[in-house]
């Protein structure tokens, strides 16, 4: 088999190498998959750099998620030809992986493997944001920044299925029409005017739940727009700046600050809950209601080009490796 | 009657005046009290400066809490001679107040009125910190900074009644023996060594609840000492610096950041809950188990000296006005 591996943490383009490795061992109750697609996520890059919440055991194969086709099974639950996504980190930047059947979610028929490869993290993060802190009642508003990110777009689509309205902050004003077409209720530019613009659109309503993937000033705007007693959830830090919380927002306004790391949920939720949520999300993906834009795909050998495009800021959609 | 009043917000010593005012009107169901003692709290000073969570209606009499003796009653629940504390802001920096009986808590016999004057805010804040976010089980640790403050000392005493152990951060190392004598389990100096010192004392235990009255670096030390999934509660901001929260503490460590403003609890809790909590706290105060150090008392006319001493940093105990 072939895999991208790194022997020390560092800049991904510098430390990754395409290597030929022995085929992965197939355990009792295990499944060997041919990887069909695996995205390049910010979490993968942080993992390679050694700055993620989980440290790599070196040498390591990156790849936090992916979609594969069963080529050999020692589990009664899987047959060759079945397609599945990986619910555990297994190094998907490779042409093959082997893992226990209990760490897979079997896909229904007819899902695009590129889309399915992105099902584990972003749509599930959006679902947990909307439902993991008390699901807001239909008709109420939620608030988010980075609304054009893969998670942000999933939030817009999933909120609509729950009857929840979305107030979306984006850095680039020209994205407004595209997000409105996707189902956003309001889109405002994430600059000094954002709070006034959002208040004008909200009238007397104030959201009680906000999703922060940016930090810094943008996170502060979400605080200023939340209702008293509201919950401010951080799931990313695109600005690489910490959260600065004025004391009055905690003491007098009674805001709550929480975090979400979907991996913790995946590793701790009961299997029935995982099946229910991924079943629902896979159904929406299969029908085309839920989709993550794809900017480009690359074979493993072209990983440097993939990383370069993934690092570009104006990219519209995800980069995927297709081994 | 006489009262300290201000006609514009500003520095307390500059804007306050001792004024003679008409006696307060006694309403149906109301009680007129002679004020026996009223503390000078940081919240009072912020209220006069116009920087508190509640803005004054000018001209205003400050005084967020106090203890008084009934001189006239139009409520069946109170007789002249009864003593009570005020559960609603009523301007206690005066020799008389008049308010509805439902906004009073009648004191049991034998409580020092100086102590009782401080019952409403600090002991109740400590009680809410310990019980309002899920009461930690007996034997577990809580963590606090500003442990020598009036609230901090109440936390130490009340935690002991609940079987909870306290890890206390203080700015002045020489307070260690005094707080240990009060019932603290551990006391460490709130500087760069605090995290290592506390970890050495805690062994493998990590607290799941931390009380922050300082902000800045000290608040960050509490985060570093909390267990994953722990709750960090801010109830004051002595450093006047906001909370800076590293994203990893939210996303990977799953800390929750909350605030406590005891006034909100007083104004929203059912009357039976208020009676139960203040009854318990008054009992502990009456027995001498719970007490707040008193640095000095001043008549209303000497308010400038009172404010000056209250502003001193090395003061040990509260300043009270005794009209």
């Amino acid at each position: 088999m072939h895999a991208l591996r790194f022997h020390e943490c560092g800049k991904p383009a510098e430390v990754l190498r395409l290597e030929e490795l022995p085929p992965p061992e197939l355990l009792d109750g295990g499944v060997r998959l041919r990887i069909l697609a695996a995205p390049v996520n910010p979490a993968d890059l942080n993992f390679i750099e050694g700055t993620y919440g989980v440290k790599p055991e070196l040498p390591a194969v990156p790849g936090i998620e992916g979609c594969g086709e069963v080529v050999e099974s020692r589990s009664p639950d899987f047959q060759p030809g079945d397609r599945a996504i990986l619910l555990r980190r297994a190094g998907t930047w490779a042409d093959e992986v082997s893992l226990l059947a209990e760490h897979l979610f079997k896909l229904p028929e007819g899902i695009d493997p590129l889309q399915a490869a992105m099902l584990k993290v972003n749509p599930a993060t959006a679902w947990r944001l909307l439902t993991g802190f008390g699901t807001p009642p239909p008709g109420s508003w939620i608030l988010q920044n980075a609304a054009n990110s893969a998670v942000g777009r999933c939030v817009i689509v999933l909120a609509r299925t729950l009857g929840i309205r979305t107030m979306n902050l984006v850095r680039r004003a020209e994205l407004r029409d595209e997000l409105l077409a996707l189902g956003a209720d309001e889109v405002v530019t994430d600059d000094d005017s954002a709070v006034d613009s959002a208040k004008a659109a909200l009238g007397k309503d104030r959201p009680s739940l906000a999703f922060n993937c940016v930090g810094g000033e943008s996170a502060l705007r979400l605080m200023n727009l939340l209702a008293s007693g509201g919950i401010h959830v951080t799931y990313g830090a695109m600005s690489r700046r910490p959260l600065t919380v004025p004391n009055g927002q905690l003491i007098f306004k009674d805001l709550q600050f929480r975090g979400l790391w979907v991996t913790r949920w995946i590793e701790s939720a009961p299997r029935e809950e995982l099946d229910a949520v991924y079943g629902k999300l896979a159904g929406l993906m299969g029908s085309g209601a839920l989709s993550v834009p794809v900017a480009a795909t690359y074979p493993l050998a072209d990983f440097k080009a993939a990383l370069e495009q993934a690092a570009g800021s104006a990219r519209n959609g995800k980069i995927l490796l297709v081994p």
Side-chain angles (χ1 to χ4, degrees), chain A residues 34-54:
Chain A
R34 182 169 66 86
I35 294 291
L36 301 173
V40 176
N41 282 315
D44 293 313
L45 304 179
N46 296 341
F47 180 70
I48 300 165
E49 290 159 359
T51 60
Y52 193 59
V54 175

Side-chain angles (χ1 to χ4, degrees), chain A residues 115 122-127 129-130 142 144-161 166 168-170 172 174-184 211 213 235 284 288-294 315-318:
Chain A
Q115 288 295 312
N122 291 328
T125 296
W127 183 255
L129 288 169
L130 285 163
I142 64 90
Q144 67 170 340
N145 57 24
N148 187 49
S149 69
V151 171
R153 287 170 161 259
C154 290
V155 163
I156 290 169
V157 170
L158 293 173
R160 187 142 280 225
T161 71
T166 57
N168 300 282
L169 275 59
V170 289
R172 290 181 282 154
E174 67 269 23
L175 291 165
R176 181 180 157 83
D177 288 347
E178 190 176 335
L179 294 186
L180 289 172
L182 187 66
F211 310 143
C213 188
Y235 69 95
L284 288 166
L290 192 68
S291 78
V292 180
V294 173
R315 164 177 56 83
N316 222 345
K318 284 272 178 186

Side-chain angles (χ1 to χ4, degrees), chain A residues 177-199:
Chain A
D177 288 347
E178 190 176 335
L179 294 186
L180 289 172
L182 187 66
D185 293 279
E186 289 288 347
V187 181
V188 301
T189 310
D190 195 356
D191 58 20
D192 290 347
S193 71
V195 171
D196 287 344
S197 305
K199 283 184 176 172

